[in-house]
Amino acid sequence: MPRALWTPVLIACFTLILSSAAHSEKPNVVVIMADDLGYGDLSCYGATSLETPNIDRLAAGGLRFTNGYCSASTCTPTRYSMLTGTYAFRGERTGIAPPTAPAIIKPGTETVGTMLQRAGYATAVIGKWHLGLGGPEGPDWNGDLKPGPLEIGFDTCFLLPTTNDRVPQVYVHDHRVPNLDPKDPLWVGKKKPSPDHPTGQTHRDTLKMDWSHGHNSTIHNGISRIGFYTGGHAARFRDEDLADKWVEKSVEFIEDHQKEPFFLFFSSHDIHVPRIPHERFQGKTSLGFRGDAIVELDWCVGELMKTLDRLNLTENTLVVFCSDNGPVMDDGYKDEALEKVGNHRAGGPFTGGKYSVYEGGTRTPFITSWKGRIAPGTSDEVVCTIDLAGSLAALTDQKLTSDGYLDSFDVIGAMLGDKDAKGRDHLVQQDNGNNGTLALRSGKWKLHRYGKNFARNVVVEKKLANTKVPKLQLFDLENDPAEKKNVIDQHPEVAERLKKQLDEIVQSGRSRS
Ligand code: NG6
Ligand code: CA
């Protein structure tokens, strides 16, 4: 080739290299958060009673964390912390949100979404929200549902507004309930709307899945729920179709934004109760609907990964897979989770599960994957969903505002598996709201500090149990990962040090410097 012709070729190559290098600093980010999924619930985390090939593939091509956490053992506080980067115990009304809850994260609050929007990302949350909607009076179901995600950093949303066991069973798209017929307005409330309103108590024999505790109010789709509602019939969904809907809407979002950096928070309702997977997954495992719902979740992950592959985005997308809290067997419906559990240990080697500060409550599957950037392997570094803000800010070269993200650390090196990169050296774990029950993991030590409520659901295989425990307990996670042996009497000085550290973290109002 004559020399004169080389120049434009070289310039073109150089431009290509430059633009791809610039783009790779802002990879797409897909956070897949499962609901109530335990450490031992996936085959890549040791489960043998079922197979999760898609999540296993994600783990095999990425980093599988053995010390990955969510920050609380119930949904609302973990999601609050994941989005705001601040421990939920610092916030008001951050415990499990009722159906009528107003927006818990107020407009103006810094979130992962606002930070990534500033970095030039298109942002979406698709799936379970459970962080309240609307002003102080609560959600206006027939009008504009705001504030909500769009007021705190998301360009768009397609939501299950509360939980699948809480009323109402309708979607929310941006500020509206889609398909709502004005002639059949939606009413949601705490009290029975009329004496003849059918409930799980009065019409128990008509239910397709019976309840075991709570969950005996309004009936929809043959399942009685928490709370009451009437109307909005044209807008109601079938539980069986939720996973398909999340995938459909996510694929649309990814396709629409494939040419710009995007952040997708894929917030699965699986495997929360009522566990009603699509008919095509029912009976797929020996574990009953709880196992079948895990298989449905695995299918969702496969569809998302297939979409990224099809659009050639896998090498430019960081995928984070996590859970919002540990496992529970009977969470209010008779779906045979306990009866069919066999040898399956949903919490893996850990004690406790949902609602508890034992490791089983917050030590959950945590996988990062980014083809070509993250070398496949396993990591023992401590990382937590609360660190997404700090870590993604570092990755995308954004500064965290000093008055936000009060507990979110930059552990991006650990998340990407960079050589010698460290995770956290300590982490506060909480159960539900701000009832004072917290635990502090610091290195190999873990201190439990019980507040007004005592530990619940300590043994995940049994039904919910209110088990009295001492106010302070100390465990050595290295030698006793199952937290069976309280060693506070053998190591009083360690307990004292951790107690001081925990007090300091709580009282100082922040743990990020
Ligand atoms: C509890 C519900 C439980 C579940 C949980 C929230 C009863 C008896 N129990 O109050 O079924 O809905 O709240 O789960 O009603 S979470 O994963 O969204 O935090
Ligand atoms: Ca949950």
Side-chain angles (χ1 to χ4, degrees):
M1 198 185 287
R3 213 164 161 195
L5 285 182
W6 268 110
T7 317
V9 173
L10 283 177
I11 290 175
C13 289
F14 192 52
T15 319
L16 199 73
I17 291 169
L18 263 188
S19 64
S20 67
H23 198 55
S24 73
E25 291 168 15
K26 292 197 173 155
N28 309 308
V29 177
V30 178
V31 173
I32 305 171
M33 184 176 271
D35 198 342
D36 298 1
L37 187 77
Y39 189 90
D41 272 328
L42 302 172
S43 34
C44 55
Y45 275 90
T48 51
S49 308
L50 84 181
E51 296 215 348
T52 49
N54 293 299
I55 303 173
D56 293 2
R57 204 170 304 127
L58 190 75
L63 257 192
R64 188 180 65 85
F65 286 84
T66 59
N67 286 280
Y69 289 85
C70 47
S71 46
S73 57
T74 58
C75 165
T76 304
T78 281
R79 286 155 202 267
Y80 174 93
S81 300
M82 191 276 263
L83 291 178
T84 62
T86 295
Y87 285 133
F89 64 76
R90 302 198 195 285
E92 300 271 305
R93 300 209 278 183
T94 53
I96 298 171
T100 49
I104 293 167
I105 304 173
K106 301 280 174 287
T109 311
E110 285 286 323
T111 69
V112 181
T114 55
M115 188 270 294
L116 288 176
Q117 277 179 334
R118 275 199 296 277
Y121 281 64
T123 57
V125 49
I126 294 172
K128 176 172 174 172
W129 182 239
H130 206 194
L131 285 166
L133 290 168
E137 338 57 59
D140 173 8
W141 296 104
N142 302 286
D144 268 348
L145 284 161
K146 65 180 183 188
L150 270 53
E151 285 65 41
I152 53 163
F154 290 98
D155 301 334
T156 186
C157 67
F158 197 93
L159 309 173
L160 166 66
T162 62
T163 61
N164 43 337
D165 58 345
R166 282 174 178 71
V167 296
Q169 275 60 54
V170 296
Y171 296 116
V172 171
H173 180 209
D174 293 345
H175 288 140
R176 289 277 174 169
V177 173
N179 302 324
L180 202 59
D181 176 358
K183 292 198 284 301
D184 182 30
L186 184 56
W187 173 88
V188 179
K190 290 180 187 146
K191 294 216 173 91
K192 199 163 157 159
S194 62
D196 60 349
H197 181 79
T199 68
Q201 275 169 319
T202 61
H203 290 63
R204 195 163 185 176
D205 54 344
T206 67
L207 301 176
K208 75 174 172 196
M209 183 184 275
D210 197 7
W211 50 273
S212 56
H213 53 270
H215 305 95
N216 52 20
S217 302
T218 294
I219 300 170
H220 169 67
N221 193 21
I223 302 155
S224 49
R225 319 276 170 157
I226 301 174
F228 297 95
Y229 73 122
T230 58
H233 287 88
R236 297 188 186 191
F237 58 68
R238 245 174 36 110
D239 304 73
E240 290 83 346
D241 298 326
L242 286 174
D244 283 345
K245 190 52 96 181
W246 309 143
V247 167
E248 175 199 318
K249 293 292 164 190
S250 298
V251 171
E252 260 171 48
F253 175 77
I254 296 172
E255 283 175 348
D256 289 351
H257 297 280
Q258 56 182 297
K259 299 247 152 53
E260 56 187 321
F262 62 80
F263 166 50
L264 169 63
F265 174 24
F266 182 92
S267 181
S268 176
H269 72 296
D270 278 324
I271 55 169
H272 196 282
V273 297
R275 300 165 185 131
I276 308 285
H278 191 271
E279 285 83 352
R280 67 185 187 279
F281 298 110
Q282 295 184 9
K284 285 287 175 219
T285 69
S286 60
L287 300 176
F289 279 5
R290 187 175 184 280
D292 301 345
I294 297 177
V295 172
E296 178 172 90
L297 167 73
D298 183 67
W299 171 82
C300 294
V301 174
E303 291 305 295
L304 294 176
M305 295 314 292
K306 253 196 248 168
T307 307
L308 295 175
D309 271 343
R310 170 168 61 80
L311 300 173
N312 267 323
L313 297 173
T314 328
E315 289 183 16
N316 192 30
T317 304
L318 167 64
V319 179
V320 179
F321 178 90
C322 54
S323 177
D324 72 339
N325 52 253
V328 58
M329 293 292 123
D330 178 351
D331 207 15
Y333 291 99
K334 295 186 185 170
D335 62 6
E336 299 190 297
L338 262 173
E339 292 81 348
K340 294 192 168 172
V341 73
N343 294 326
H344 183 68
R345 287 292 166 268
F350 305 114
T351 299
K354 186 170 180 174
Y355 311 112
S356 111
V357 291
Y358 280 86
E359 289 290 287
T362 49
R363 181 118 51 123
T364 36
F366 199 109
I367 299 163
T368 58
S369 158
W370 178 356
K371 194 172 171 195
R373 175 67 178 84
I374 295 181
T378 304
S379 170
D380 298 331
E381 291 301 320
V382 175
V383 292
C384 177
T385 49
I386 201 170
D387 298 322
L388 283 168
S391 305
L392 294 174
L395 181 68
T396 58
D397 214 14
Q398 297 293 304
K399 284 225 159 15
L400 293 183
T401 51
S402 61
D403 55 350
Y405 316 99
L406 303 175
D407 304 289
S408 188
F409 292 0
D410 168 13
V411 288
I412 191 66
M415 285 190 186
L416 299 179
D418 290 347
K419 194 168 174 294
D420 300 330
K422 292 275 164 242
R424 288 178 155 262
D425 64 357
H426 71 278
L427 176 70
V428 176
Q429 296 157 257
Q430 76 166 88
D431 56 356
N432 185 23
N434 30 19
N435 60 19
T437 296
L438 296 170
L440 173 69
R441 173 168 179 186
S442 182
K444 71 166 188 165
W445 297 106
K446 172 138 169 222
L447 182 82
H448 292 204
R449 188 192 81 180
Y450 290 94
K452 290 198 289 285
N453 295 341
F454 287 100
R456 294 215 287 152
N457 194 25
V458 168
V459 181
V460 70
E461 283 76 25
K462 298 246 173 77
K463 285 189 181 174
L464 291 179
N466 289 305
T467 312
K468 294 245 174 191
V469 291
K471 187 169 169 61
L472 288 174
Q473 296 189 75
L474 184 72
F475 298 96
D476 172 352
L477 292 180
E478 203 172 275
N479 294 307
D480 177 26
E483 296 162 285
K484 295 286 184 214
K485 196 163 171 265
N486 176 10
V487 291
I488 196 157
D489 293 340
Q490 288 84 333
H491 300 279
E493 71 305 334
V494 177
E496 194 49 38
R497 175 164 61 79
L498 266 65
K499 188 175 165 296
K500 274 210 180 102
Q501 191 180 356
L502 180 57
D503 285 345
E504 160 70 15
I505 292 170
V506 173
Q507 279 155 26
S508 66
R510 64 187 300 149
S511 57
R512 179 171 70 88
S513 46

